[in-house]
Amino acid sequence: MRYPSIADLRECARRRIPNFAFEYIDSGTGDDRTLERNRDALDRVLFIPEILHGKRDCTLGVSVLDHDWDLPVGVAPVGMSGLMWPGAERRLARAARAHNIPYCLSSVAAASPEEIAPHAGHTAWFQLYVPASRDICTDIIRRVHDSGYQALVLTVDVPAPSRRERQRRAGMGYPPKLSLRLLLEMLLHPSWSLAMAREGTPSLKLLESYVENARRHQDRFIHIGRMIQGCPDWQSIADIRQIWERKLIVKGVQRPEDGLRLRDAGVDAVWVSNHGGRQFDAGPASIAMLRGVRAAVGPDYPVLFDSGIAGGLDVMRALACGADMAFLGRGFHYAVAALGDRGVAHLLHLLRAELVSGMAQIGAFEFGDLASRLANDSLPD
């Protein structure tokens, strides 16, 4: 096998796409300390193997939010997926539907919800940054509902833009501008550039549909930036719950008391996340907060998780610490950039194989067995 791990897919993607595109998906913010904490804390979650358990088949499916999924994993929302590889949103949506895992389209994707919904089918979720305009927010929710999305994922951990210094060093500014440096990188990556030429320059399709009287690219970008700086509060949760009757998930939860309050406010699930280390560089690792949130909301309330997942073993760690499902953003985008549609299928094969192998090693054949195999002195604080 040429690409036996997500790390191999990452390296292939790094070689195949321009550096500014790679840094966009790969970087955190600041000095990447939260990115590092996510990795270090996951590595500290250890399991004690159980011996003499015989041979049994592992159960890999899960039932979450009234749907039976084939794996306890999903595709996390990533803005401008189409920058990693042209048409990435469609590719990921089709793969999610084929493999029966959730696909969450970002508000700032390079494709509209109407475009992606037919590809994702029953697996379609939509991630929302609450716009400053209540009318625009209501209209987006209406469009998402009418397109058939089954869950609305409200992201609440972006009260202000992060700086993303690695992106800036790579020449990915705000608003983005084509420079000689970026043009040279594009010329050095002809496969990506040719695919981009066929697909067209990626843009924020959904939000651009609400921008008027902004003909220049820079003007559109500035208006969109203002549009999504809505700074939601607790009243926003109540307002959205009033107009969205399907599953409502709040993403960016880290404090147990916030998880409990959201549960009591009628939110259907909370998503523990620190935005993959991309938003705040002095925050705790998400896995360190997961157990507290689970304890607060109780054993039967759905808890989702992301931030740092880099393989099947990390999925096991997240489930053992209280998550019902774990989501990957970077991993799926490395796979698409490396191998296209084949890359996504290959990544899911790796995750399945790692889950089966890892669970067999510790004698856990149901996900409910994982917590009992934890080495308690290894759990992150």
Side-chain angles (χ1 to χ4, degrees):
M1 184 184 295
R2 187 175 178 186
Y3 303 101
S5 72
I6 293 179
D8 296 297
L9 292 171
R10 175 183 178 274
E11 180 59 22
C12 180
R14 187 188 66 78
R15 294 192 305 267
R16 201 163 179 237
I17 66 178
N19 184 58
F20 63 83
F22 180 77
E23 288 292 90
Y24 176 82
I25 189 65
D26 194 68
S27 64
T29 192
D31 295 320
D32 283 358
R33 299 299 187 226
T34 302
L35 204 66
E36 294 169 2
R37 275 191 289 277
N38 282 337
R39 182 66 263 155
D40 291 345
L42 282 162
D43 285 339
R44 291 201 301 274
V45 178
L46 305 178
F47 296 92
I48 300 175
E50 178 187 275
I51 63 171
L52 298 175
H53 47 69
K55 182 175 178 58
R56 291 167 52 194
D57 293 330
C58 295
T59 300
L60 298 184
V62 292
S63 181
V64 178
L65 293 171
D66 300 331
H67 186 87
D68 294 330
W69 306 99
D70 287 358
L71 285 172
V73 300
V75 184
V78 172
M80 291 293 287
S81 289
L83 181 66
M84 303 310 102
W85 195 263
E89 289 91 350
R90 292 194 306 275
R91 293 171 183 269
L92 290 168
R94 287 195 300 262
R97 184 176 188 175
H99 295 273
N100 189 32
I101 63 172
Y103 170 71
C104 192
L105 179 71
S106 171
S107 289
V108 289
S112 70
E114 292 88 352
E115 178 186 351
I116 296 304
H119 298 284
H122 68 280
T123 71
W125 294 4
F126 183 82
Q127 176 270 330
L128 178 69
Y129 291 118
V130 178
S133 164
R134 183 166 182 170
D135 289 342
I136 291 176
C137 182
T138 300
D139 193 63
I140 289 174
I141 292 173
R142 175 194 61 78
R143 290 172 60 179
V144 169
H145 177 277
D146 291 349
S147 297
Y149 287 78
Q150 297 302 301
L152 187 70
V153 178
L154 178 62
T155 295
V156 296
D157 60 355
V158 185
S162 62
R163 290 184 53 78
R164 312 270 173 92
E165 287 84 349
R166 277 177 59 188
Q167 292 180 32
R168 293 169 181 264
R169 294 186 192 106
M172 191 74 177
Y174 298 94
K177 298 178 182 178
L178 183 62
S179 64
L180 182 61
R181 174 185 175 187
L182 267 57
L183 181 60
L184 178 60
E185 289 184 13
M186 293 165 64
L187 291 173
L188 292 173
H189 297 84
S191 296
W192 180 92
S193 298
L194 287 172
M196 190 65 73
R198 290 191 294 268
E199 184 75 20
T201 303
S203 62
L204 307 178
K205 297 288 179 60
L206 171 64
L207 299 181
E208 283 190 350
S209 67
Y210 295 98
V211 175
E212 298 178 357
N213 303 319
R215 297 180 180 179
R216 294 187 304 131
H217 175 68
Q218 181 171 345
D219 290 341
R220 292 199 306 273
F221 194 94
I222 291 171
H223 281 286
I224 287 170
R226 291 171 179 165
M227 184 192 305
I228 62 175
Q229 290 177 10
C231 298
D233 55 18
W234 286 97
Q235 186 58 46
S236 303
I237 303 295
D239 292 342
I240 291 172
R241 180 74 283 181
Q242 288 270 325
I243 59 177
W244 176 264
E245 72 275 14
R246 295 176 186 160
K247 299 301 183 184
L248 178 62
I249 303 163
V250 173
K251 180 177 182 290
V253 176
Q254 296 190 68
R255 300 193 328 153
E257 52 267 44
D258 290 338
L260 180 59
R261 186 173 176 182
L262 288 165
R263 186 201 69 181
D264 293 345
V267 171
D268 295 294
V270 294
W271 189 324
V272 176
S273 169
N274 60 24
H275 220 89
R278 293 168 64 81
Q279 191 60 27
F280 181 53
D281 210 25
S286 283
I287 195 70
M289 310 309 295
L290 177 56
R291 288 184 300 144
V293 173
R294 167 53 75 196
V297 300
D300 300 322
Y301 182 75
V303 176
L304 314 179
F305 177 83
D306 75 35
S307 298
I309 298 292
L313 184 54
D314 288 340
V315 174
M316 290 171 53
R317 288 165 163 148
L319 300 186
C321 289
D324 293 294
M325 296 189 83
F327 286 71
L328 294 79
R330 291 183 176 94
F332 279 108
H333 287 76
Y334 297 146
V336 169
L339 301 173
D341 294 338
R342 184 166 57 93
V344 184
H346 180 63
L347 171 59
L348 289 169
H349 165 74
L350 292 178
L351 291 173
R352 285 191 187 92
E354 290 167 3
L355 284 169
V356 169
S357 175
M359 292 176 70
Q361 296 295 331
I362 61 174
F365 299 98
E366 306 280 345
F367 293 130
D369 299 333
L370 290 171
S372 67
R373 306 294 194 272
L374 284 169
N376 291 329
D377 59 352
S378 75
L379 295 177
D381 296 326

